[in-house]
Amino acid sequence: MKPIFPIAAAIAFTATFLRTTSKGKNSTARKIVTRAASVSGGGGSEAGVTNSKQIMNIPKPVCKRIDHAVSFGIVPGENRGENAMDPAVKVNDDLFWLRDDDRKNEEILSYLKTENEYTEAHTKHLKKKETDLYNEIVKAIEETDVDVKFQWGDSFEYYVRTVKGKSYPIVCRQERTNTTKGGGETIVLDVNELAKQMSYCSIGGFNMSASHNLLAY
């Protein structure tokens, strides 16, 4: 499922970005904000009218509602943690049916696809601006970078580095005797390799065993 990124939120985000970038009045991001503001405000151009007619031909998705009671607090047979509410409080969640942890429910996937298509139609005219904005933000990021190293135990220092063109970080370590020489790097976990068979991957944190032979993540 693609996240829906409203124009207003995009403008607010870009405005914050502009305050932190060294690029001035003529930056692409500033032009995008100006253009996006004019688009969201109406404008009345012929191209805008044509685009509006095309969008109107795409029916707005209407999500069905199904009553479902969700319990907050103590539930028999479940571990709800310490100090859970007793008795439990029940709340009606009529969109609970959209939950699909396995991402295999055809009805849910079909509905989400319809939502995405509707969103794509409404933001199609901003695709080039979206690309320009993305490229400008990337220019302000050091894609190939190394985090500050930190000592873990008596023998090793660990650090995380990123490489331009790769989406995920690489966890590395060096023996402390080699850190001043700049050599002896060992890759502990390359998340890019781990993510090859996945659409998205996030390891959260990681933890080494006392022997430094096992990694938990």
Side-chain angles (χ1 to χ4, degrees), residues 16-39:
T16 302
F17 170 69
L18 287 172
R19 290 196 294 270
T20 59
T21 183
S22 59
K23 294 178 170 54
K25 297 179 182 178
N26 296 322
S27 71
T28 303
R30 188 172 297 278
K31 292 176 183 177
I32 292 169
V33 172
T34 303
R35 173 59 179 157
S38 66
V39 170

PDB file of all heavy atoms in Angstrom, residues 16-39:
ATOM      1  N   THR A  16       9.599  23.589   5.528  1.00  0.00           N
ATOM      2  CA  THR A  16      10.588  23.300   6.567  1.00  0.00           C
ATOM      3  C   THR A  16      11.936  22.997   5.943  1.00  0.00           C
ATOM      4  O   THR A  16      12.981  23.452   6.404  1.00  0.00           O
ATOM      5  CB  THR A  16      10.136  22.089   7.412  1.00  0.00           C
ATOM      6  OG1 THR A  16       8.860  22.389   7.979  1.00  0.00           O
ATOM      7  CG2 THR A  16      11.136  21.793   8.516  1.00  0.00           C
ATOM      8  N   PHE A  17      11.920  22.237   4.838  1.00  0.00           N
ATOM      9  CA  PHE A  17      13.150  21.898   4.134  1.00  0.00           C
ATOM     10  C   PHE A  17      13.858  23.135   3.631  1.00  0.00           C
ATOM     11  O   PHE A  17      15.080  23.262   3.706  1.00  0.00           O
ATOM     12  CB  PHE A  17      12.823  20.957   2.966  1.00  0.00           C
ATOM     13  CG  PHE A  17      13.973  20.731   2.015  1.00  0.00           C
ATOM     14  CD1 PHE A  17      15.087  20.007   2.421  1.00  0.00           C
ATOM     15  CD2 PHE A  17      13.937  21.254   0.733  1.00  0.00           C
ATOM     16  CE1 PHE A  17      16.137  19.799   1.545  1.00  0.00           C
ATOM     17  CE2 PHE A  17      14.983  21.050  -0.132  1.00  0.00           C
ATOM     18  CZ  PHE A  17      16.090  20.322   0.268  1.00  0.00           C
ATOM     19  N   LEU A  18      13.092  24.104   3.134  1.00  0.00           N
ATOM     20  CA  LEU A  18      13.679  25.331   2.603  1.00  0.00           C
ATOM     21  C   LEU A  18      14.406  26.119   3.678  1.00  0.00           C
ATOM     22  O   LEU A  18      15.394  26.796   3.399  1.00  0.00           O
ATOM     23  CB  LEU A  18      12.577  26.208   1.973  1.00  0.00           C
ATOM     24  CG  LEU A  18      12.020  25.709   0.648  1.00  0.00           C
ATOM     25  CD1 LEU A  18      10.819  26.563   0.241  1.00  0.00           C
ATOM     26  CD2 LEU A  18      13.070  25.750  -0.434  1.00  0.00           C
ATOM     27  N   ARG A  19      13.916  26.045   4.910  1.00  0.00           N
ATOM     28  CA  ARG A  19      14.558  26.790   5.985  1.00  0.00           C
ATOM     29  C   ARG A  19      15.902  26.196   6.358  1.00  0.00           C
ATOM     30  O   ARG A  19      16.734  26.857   6.975  1.00  0.00           O
ATOM     31  CB  ARG A  19      13.647  26.814   7.222  1.00  0.00           C
ATOM     32  CG  ARG A  19      12.409  27.664   7.039  1.00  0.00           C
ATOM     33  CD  ARG A  19      11.761  27.966   8.380  1.00  0.00           C
ATOM     34  NE  ARG A  19      11.241  26.768   9.006  1.00  0.00           N
ATOM     35  CZ  ARG A  19      10.001  26.333   8.813  1.00  0.00           C
ATOM     36  NH1 ARG A  19       9.179  26.985   8.018  1.00  0.00           N
ATOM     37  NH2 ARG A  19       9.572  25.240   9.426  1.00  0.00           N
ATOM     38  N   THR A  20      16.142  24.931   6.005  1.00  0.00           N
ATOM     39  CA  THR A  20      17.379  24.277   6.399  1.00  0.00           C
ATOM     40  C   THR A  20      18.364  24.112   5.253  1.00  0.00           C
ATOM     41  O   THR A  20      19.499  23.719   5.464  1.00  0.00           O
ATOM     42  CB  THR A  20      17.080  22.885   6.979  1.00  0.00           C
ATOM     43  OG1 THR A  20      16.409  22.106   5.988  1.00  0.00           O
ATOM     44  CG2 THR A  20      16.193  23.004   8.207  1.00  0.00           C
ATOM     45  N   THR A  21      17.945  24.365   4.025  1.00  0.00           N
ATOM     46  CA  THR A  21      18.846  24.211   2.887  1.00  0.00           C
ATOM     47  C   THR A  21      19.542  25.514   2.577  1.00  0.00           C
ATOM     48  O   THR A  21      19.038  26.606   2.848  1.00  0.00           O
ATOM     49  CB  THR A  21      18.074  23.728   1.642  1.00  0.00           C
ATOM     50  OG1 THR A  21      19.003  23.520   0.579  1.00  0.00           O
ATOM     51  CG2 THR A  21      17.061  24.759   1.168  1.00  0.00           C
ATOM     52  N   SER A  22      20.717  25.415   1.976  1.00  0.00           N
ATOM     53  CA  SER A  22      21.475  26.614   1.642  1.00  0.00           C
ATOM     54  C   SER A  22      21.039  27.204   0.319  1.00  0.00           C
ATOM     55  O   SER A  22      21.458  28.291  -0.055  1.00  0.00           O
ATOM     56  CB  SER A  22      22.968  26.261   1.577  1.00  0.00           C
ATOM     57  OG  SER A  22      23.190  25.260   0.596  1.00  0.00           O
ATOM     58  N   LYS A  23      20.197  26.513  -0.426  1.00  0.00           N
ATOM     59  CA  LYS A  23      19.727  27.016  -1.710  1.00  0.00           C
ATOM     60  C   LYS A  23      18.751  28.163  -1.471  1.00  0.00           C
ATOM     61  O   LYS A  23      17.959  28.142  -0.571  1.00  0.00           O
ATOM     62  CB  LYS A  23      19.058  25.893  -2.510  1.00  0.00           C
ATOM     63  CG  LYS A  23      20.045  24.807  -2.906  1.00  0.00           C
ATOM     64  CD  LYS A  23      19.340  23.705  -3.641  1.00  0.00           C
ATOM     65  CE  LYS A  23      20.327  22.740  -4.267  1.00  0.00           C
ATOM     66  NZ  LYS A  23      21.284  22.192  -3.354  1.00  0.00           N
ATOM     67  N   GLY A  24      18.789  29.153  -2.325  1.00  0.00           N
ATOM     68  CA  GLY A  24      18.034  30.381  -2.088  1.00  0.00           C
ATOM     69  C   GLY A  24      16.727  30.462  -2.814  1.00  0.00           C
ATOM     70  O   GLY A  24      16.041  29.480  -3.024  1.00  0.00           O
ATOM     71  N   LYS A  25      16.383  31.699  -3.237  1.00  0.00           N
ATOM     72  CA  LYS A  25      15.069  31.980  -3.797  1.00  0.00           C
ATOM     73  C   LYS A  25      14.760  31.162  -5.039  1.00  0.00           C
ATOM     74  O   LYS A  25      13.608  30.832  -5.295  1.00  0.00           O
ATOM     75  CB  LYS A  25      14.976  33.465  -4.164  1.00  0.00           C
ATOM     76  CG  LYS A  25      15.103  34.400  -2.981  1.00  0.00           C
ATOM     77  CD  LYS A  25      15.029  35.829  -3.471  1.00  0.00           C
ATOM     78  CE  LYS A  25      15.194  36.821  -2.322  1.00  0.00           C
ATOM     79  NZ  LYS A  25      15.162  38.200  -2.812  1.00  0.00           N
ATOM     80  N   ASN A  26      15.780  30.843  -5.823  1.00  0.00           N
ATOM     81  CA  ASN A  26      15.525  30.204  -7.108  1.00  0.00           C
ATOM     82  C   ASN A  26      15.608  28.681  -7.040  1.00  0.00           C
ATOM     83  O   ASN A  26      15.713  28.021  -8.061  1.00  0.00           O
ATOM     84  CB  ASN A  26      16.546  30.714  -8.140  1.00  0.00           C
ATOM     85  CG  ASN A  26      16.387  32.203  -8.389  1.00  0.00           C
ATOM     86  OD1 ASN A  26      15.274  32.709  -8.422  1.00  0.00           O
ATOM     87  ND2 ASN A  26      17.509  32.900  -8.534  1.00  0.00           N
ATOM     88  N   SER A  27      15.593  28.120  -5.857  1.00  0.00           N
ATOM     89  CA  SER A  27      15.692  26.671  -5.744  1.00  0.00           C
ATOM     90  C   SER A  27      14.453  26.001  -6.322  1.00  0.00           C
ATOM     91  O   SER A  27      13.367  26.567  -6.344  1.00  0.00           O
ATOM     92  CB  SER A  27      15.856  26.257  -4.281  1.00  0.00           C
ATOM     93  OG  SER A  27      14.650  26.459  -3.592  1.00  0.00           O
ATOM     94  N   THR A  28      14.646  24.765  -6.788  1.00  0.00           N
ATOM     95  CA  THR A  28      13.530  24.002  -7.341  1.00  0.00           C
ATOM     96  C   THR A  28      12.437  23.798  -6.311  1.00  0.00           C
ATOM     97  O   THR A  28      11.248  23.898  -6.604  1.00  0.00           O
ATOM     98  CB  THR A  28      14.031  22.628  -7.818  1.00  0.00           C
ATOM     99  OG1 THR A  28      15.072  22.828  -8.776  1.00  0.00           O
ATOM    100  CG2 THR A  28      12.914  21.822  -8.450  1.00  0.00           C
ATOM    101  N   ALA A  29      12.851  23.519  -5.069  1.00  0.00           N
ATOM    102  CA  ALA A  29      11.859  23.275  -4.016  1.00  0.00           C
ATOM    103  C   ALA A  29      10.962  24.482  -3.815  1.00  0.00           C
ATOM    104  O   ALA A  29       9.763  24.359  -3.651  1.00  0.00           O
ATOM    105  CB  ALA A  29      12.578  22.929  -2.705  1.00  0.00           C
ATOM    106  N   ARG A  30      11.548  25.702  -3.821  1.00  0.00           N
ATOM    107  CA  ARG A  30      10.733  26.900  -3.633  1.00  0.00           C
ATOM    108  C   ARG A  30       9.757  27.076  -4.796  1.00  0.00           C
ATOM    109  O   ARG A  30       8.604  27.457  -4.620  1.00  0.00           O
ATOM    110  CB  ARG A  30      11.640  28.134  -3.494  1.00  0.00           C
ATOM    111  CG  ARG A  30      10.861  29.388  -3.107  1.00  0.00           C
ATOM    112  CD  ARG A  30      11.800  30.534  -2.783  1.00  0.00           C
ATOM    113  NE  ARG A  30      12.629  30.251  -1.635  1.00  0.00           N
ATOM    114  CZ  ARG A  30      12.231  30.404  -0.390  1.00  0.00           C
ATOM    115  NH1 ARG A  30      10.997  30.783  -0.123  1.00  0.00           N
ATOM    116  NH2 ARG A  30      13.039  30.140   0.614  1.00  0.00           N
ATOM    117  N   LYS A  31      10.218  26.796  -6.009  1.00  0.00           N
ATOM    118  CA  LYS A  31       9.326  26.889  -7.164  1.00  0.00           C
ATOM    119  C   LYS A  31       8.184  25.878  -7.050  1.00  0.00           C
ATOM    120  O   LYS A  31       7.048  26.159  -7.415  1.00  0.00           O
ATOM    121  CB  LYS A  31      10.115  26.629  -8.455  1.00  0.00           C
ATOM    122  CG  LYS A  31      11.133  27.726  -8.775  1.00  0.00           C
ATOM    123  CD  LYS A  31      11.942  27.354 -10.003  1.00  0.00           C
ATOM    124  CE  LYS A  31      13.011  28.404 -10.298  1.00  0.00           C
ATOM    125  NZ  LYS A  31      13.849  28.002 -11.443  1.00  0.00           N
ATOM    126  N   ILE A  32       8.512  24.687  -6.524  1.00  0.00           N
ATOM    127  CA  ILE A  32       7.487  23.659  -6.365  1.00  0.00           C
ATOM    128  C   ILE A  32       6.431  24.101  -5.380  1.00  0.00           C
ATOM    129  O   ILE A  32       5.234  23.923  -5.589  1.00  0.00           O
ATOM    130  CB  ILE A  32       8.135  22.338  -5.894  1.00  0.00           C
ATOM    131  CG1 ILE A  32       9.003  21.769  -7.019  1.00  0.00           C
ATOM    132  CG2 ILE A  32       7.080  21.321  -5.487  1.00  0.00           C
ATOM    133  CD1 ILE A  32       9.871  20.627  -6.576  1.00  0.00           C
ATOM    134  N   VAL A  33       6.853  24.700  -4.267  1.00  0.00           N
ATOM    135  CA  VAL A  33       5.897  25.172  -3.270  1.00  0.00           C
ATOM    136  C   VAL A  33       4.966  26.205  -3.875  1.00  0.00           C
ATOM    137  O   VAL A  33       3.754  26.184  -3.682  1.00  0.00           O
ATOM    138  CB  VAL A  33       6.630  25.779  -2.046  1.00  0.00           C
ATOM    139  CG1 VAL A  33       5.626  26.435  -1.115  1.00  0.00           C
ATOM    140  CG2 VAL A  33       7.392  24.700  -1.309  1.00  0.00           C
ATOM    141  N   THR A  34       5.557  27.130  -4.641  1.00  0.00           N
ATOM    142  CA  THR A  34       4.746  28.171  -5.268  1.00  0.00           C
ATOM    143  C   THR A  34       3.744  27.568  -6.235  1.00  0.00           C
ATOM    144  O   THR A  34       2.570  27.929  -6.252  1.00  0.00           O
ATOM    145  CB  THR A  34       5.652  29.161  -6.033  1.00  0.00           C
ATOM    146  OG1 THR A  34       6.607  29.693  -5.118  1.00  0.00           O
ATOM    147  CG2 THR A  34       4.835  30.290  -6.636  1.00  0.00           C
ATOM    148  N   ARG A  35       4.209  26.606  -7.058  1.00  0.00           N
ATOM    149  CA  ARG A  35       3.342  25.974  -8.045  1.00  0.00           C
ATOM    150  C   ARG A  35       2.250  25.150  -7.361  1.00  0.00           C
ATOM    151  O   ARG A  35       1.076  25.217  -7.725  1.00  0.00           O
ATOM    152  CB  ARG A  35       4.189  25.074  -8.962  1.00  0.00           C
ATOM    153  CG  ARG A  35       3.371  24.214  -9.931  1.00  0.00           C
ATOM    154  CD  ARG A  35       2.502  25.036 -10.830  1.00  0.00           C
ATOM    155  NE  ARG A  35       1.752  24.199 -11.747  1.00  0.00           N
ATOM    156  CZ  ARG A  35       0.634  24.568 -12.331  1.00  0.00           C
ATOM    157  NH1 ARG A  35       0.120  25.767 -12.087  1.00  0.00           N
ATOM    158  NH2 ARG A  35       0.008  23.758 -13.163  1.00  0.00           N
ATOM    159  N   ALA A  36       2.649  24.382  -6.332  1.00  0.00           N
ATOM    160  CA  ALA A  36       1.675  23.536  -5.631  1.00  0.00           C
ATOM    161  C   ALA A  36       0.606  24.378  -4.967  1.00  0.00           C
ATOM    162  O   ALA A  36      -0.572  24.023  -4.954  1.00  0.00           O
ATOM    163  CB  ALA A  36       2.384  22.677  -4.589  1.00  0.00           C
ATOM    164  N   ALA A  37       1.005  25.525  -4.417  1.00  0.00           N
ATOM    165  CA  ALA A  37       0.043  26.399  -3.765  1.00  0.00           C
ATOM    166  C   ALA A  37      -0.960  26.940  -4.775  1.00  0.00           C
ATOM    167  O   ALA A  37      -2.161  27.029  -4.502  1.00  0.00           O
ATOM    168  CB  ALA A  37       0.770  27.557  -3.077  1.00  0.00           C
ATOM    169  N   SER A  38      -0.472  27.284  -5.968  1.00  0.00           N
ATOM    170  CA  SER A  38      -1.378  27.815  -6.984  1.00  0.00           C
ATOM    171  C   SER A  38      -2.326  26.746  -7.490  1.00  0.00           C
ATOM    172  O   SER A  38      -3.491  26.997  -7.767  1.00  0.00           O
ATOM    173  CB  SER A  38      -0.572  28.398  -8.158  1.00  0.00           C
ATOM    174  OG  SER A  38       0.141  27.372  -8.838  1.00  0.00           O
ATOM    175  N   VAL A  39      -1.817  25.489  -7.582  1.00  0.00           N
ATOM    176  CA  VAL A  39      -2.669  24.393  -8.036  1.00  0.00           C
ATOM    177  C   VAL A  39      -3.762  24.108  -7.029  1.00  0.00           C
ATOM    178  O   VAL A  39      -4.931  23.951  -7.355  1.00  0.00           O
ATOM    179  CB  VAL A  39      -1.817  23.118  -8.275  1.00  0.00           C
ATOM    180  CG1 VAL A  39      -2.724  21.912  -8.499  1.00  0.00           C
ATOM    181  CG2 VAL A  39      -0.920  23.319  -9.488  1.00  0.00           C
TER     182      VAL A  39
END
